[in-house]
């Protein structure tokens, strides 16, 4: 913030210098206008005096020169109007000059207020690798731009991360739905397996009975074979 204020200070100094030059030009132009107005005012007074003398001397031929008198009056009236106009311009110029002075005073106060940063930057130049204050300002502006670029990059990464999170949530929801479906199928298969296990018991019992019966019949068959063999012998 301090460096930004100093940069603003440098800009204000430049503006103050430009305003000072403009003020000097305005003052010079104002002086020239005042000289012109003064000369014209003197001319008007001189012409009015000459006109009065001429009217006193030319009383007898007043009628003959009435047109000239009217023209002179018109000219004097026009000059008076010009005088009033110049006076109005002078008032506006004075007001503008006063405003410029006030602005210049405010700028000088700001320059004095922020002069501490000049000392600070001079100390920075002394203890750093920089040779001039302008280099420090350039480095600061570069860092500001880099910081802005980093913030934009970070914002982009955050947006990409949010998009990836949304996609991951969608993927997880889909997989959870599939897992729930598989769990339901597993429950159904478990029920079928339990039913099949319950059905196996009677069949195993029946199979054991068949094996016992087969063993008995085989034993009986062997007995019959032995009896037949004995009878044959």
């Amino acid at each position: 913030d301090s460096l930004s204020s100093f940069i603003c200070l440098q800009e204000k100094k430049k503006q103050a210098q430009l305003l000072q030059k403009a003020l000097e030009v305005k003052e010079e132009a104002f002086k020239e206008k005042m000289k012109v107005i003064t000369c014209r005012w003197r001319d008007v007074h001189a012409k009015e005096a000459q006109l009065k003398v001429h009217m006193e001397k030319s009383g007898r031929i007043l009628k003959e020169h009435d047109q000239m008198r009217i023209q002179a009056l018109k000219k004097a009236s026009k000059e008076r109007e010009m005088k009033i106009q110049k006076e109005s311009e002078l008032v506006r110029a004075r007001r503008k000059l006063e405003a410029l002075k006030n602005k210049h005073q405010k700028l000088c106060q700001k320059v004095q207020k922020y002069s501490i940063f000049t000392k600070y930057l001079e100390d920075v130049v002394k203890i750093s690798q920089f040779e001039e204050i302008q280099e420090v300002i350039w480095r600061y502006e570069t860092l500001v731009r880099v910081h802005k670029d980093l913030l934009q990059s970070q914002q982009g990464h955050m947006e990409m991360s949010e998009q990836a999170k949304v996609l991951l949530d969608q993927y997880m929801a889909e997989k959870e739905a599939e897992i729930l479906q598989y769990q339901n199928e597993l429950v159904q298969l478990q029920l079928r397996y339990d039913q099949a296990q319950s059905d196996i018991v009677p069949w195993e019992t029946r199979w054991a009975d068949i094996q016992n019966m087969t063993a008995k019949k085989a034993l009986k068959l062997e007995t019959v074979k032995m009896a037949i063999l004995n009878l044959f012998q």
Side-chain angles (χ1 to χ4, degrees):
D1 292 340
S2 298
L3 290 175
S4 299
S5 300
F6 179 74
I7 294 172
C8 293
L9 173 64
Q10 295 293 326
E11 295 295 329
K12 294 295 183 182
K13 282 184 176 180
K14 292 180 181 179
Q15 293 179 6
Q17 293 175 356
L18 294 176
L19 287 173
Q20 183 65 31
K21 292 181 180 179
L23 184 61
E24 293 175 355
V25 174
K26 295 275 186 186
E27 289 179 350
E28 189 66 25
F30 176 74
K31 290 179 181 179
E32 293 296 329
K33 288 182 179 180
M34 287 297 297
K35 289 180 181 179
V36 173
I37 291 172
T38 303
C39 292
R40 289 183 178 179
W41 183 249
R42 290 175 181 175
D43 293 337
V44 169
H45 280 287
K47 288 179 180 180
E48 286 181 350
Q50 292 176 0
L51 182 61
K52 288 180 180 179
V53 173
H54 180 72
M55 289 177 65
E56 290 176 356
K57 290 181 179 180
S58 304
R60 294 175 296 175
I61 54 174
L62 180 62
K63 293 181 179 180
E64 297 177 359
H65 296 84
D66 187 58
Q67 188 68 29
M68 294 176 62
R69 183 179 64 83
I70 294 173
Q71 291 179 356
L73 289 173
K74 288 182 178 179
K75 186 176 181 181
S77 176
K78 186 175 181 180
E79 289 180 351
R80 289 191 185 95
E81 291 177 357
M82 291 180 63
K83 177 185 175 182
I84 294 172
Q85 183 179 359
K86 294 298 182 181
E87 288 178 351
S88 299
E89 292 178 357
L90 179 61
V91 172
R92 288 194 297 268
R94 285 178 178 175
R95 291 177 180 175
K96 193 171 183 180
L97 180 62
E98 188 66 25
L100 290 174
K101 287 181 178 179
N102 293 332
K103 189 172 183 180
H104 181 263
Q105 185 178 2
K106 291 180 180 179
L107 290 174
C108 290
Q109 291 176 356
K110 286 187 177 180
V111 169
Q112 185 177 4
K113 180 180 178 181
Y114 294 117
S115 60
I116 186 174
F117 297 109
T118 304
K119 182 65 171 58
Y120 171 74
L121 288 176
E122 290 175 353
D123 295 337
V124 171
V125 171
K126 290 179 181 179
I127 63 174
S128 65
Q129 73 275 15
F130 300 104
E131 296 180 356
E132 296 180 357
I133 294 177
Q134 188 62 39
E135 294 181 0
V136 178
I137 296 174
W138 289 339
R139 181 62 180 274
Y140 169 75
E141 292 175 350
T142 302
L143 292 176
V144 170
R145 288 195 298 270
V146 171
H147 179 66
K148 185 178 180 180
D149 295 338
L150 289 175
L151 288 178
Q152 292 178 353
S153 178
Q154 184 179 5
Q155 184 66 26
H157 288 307
M158 290 178 65
E159 292 176 356
M160 292 176 63
S161 177
E162 290 294 331
Q163 293 177 359
K165 185 178 180 181
V166 172
L167 294 175
L168 180 61
D169 292 339
Q170 294 177 355
Y171 179 77
M172 293 293 293
E174 293 175 358
K175 293 304 176 183
E176 287 178 356
E178 291 181 2
I179 291 171
L180 182 61
Q181 182 180 357
Y182 290 147
Q183 287 177 349
N184 293 332
E185 292 179 357
L186 182 60
V187 170
Q188 296 295 328
L189 292 174
Q190 185 66 37
L191 293 175
R192 291 176 62 184
Y193 176 76
D194 294 339
Q195 185 65 36
Q197 289 290 331
S198 62
D199 293 339
I200 286 173
V201 175
W203 285 104
E204 286 181 347
T205 303
R206 187 174 179 183
W207 173 249
D209 294 339
I210 291 172
Q211 287 181 340
N212 292 330
M213 187 179 294
T214 302
K216 291 179 180 179
K217 288 184 178 181
L219 181 59
K220 187 176 181 181
L221 179 59
E222 290 296 330
T223 304
V224 172
K225 287 182 179 181
M226 292 295 294
I228 293 172
L229 181 59
N230 290 330
L231 290 175
F232 178 76
Q233 291 178 352

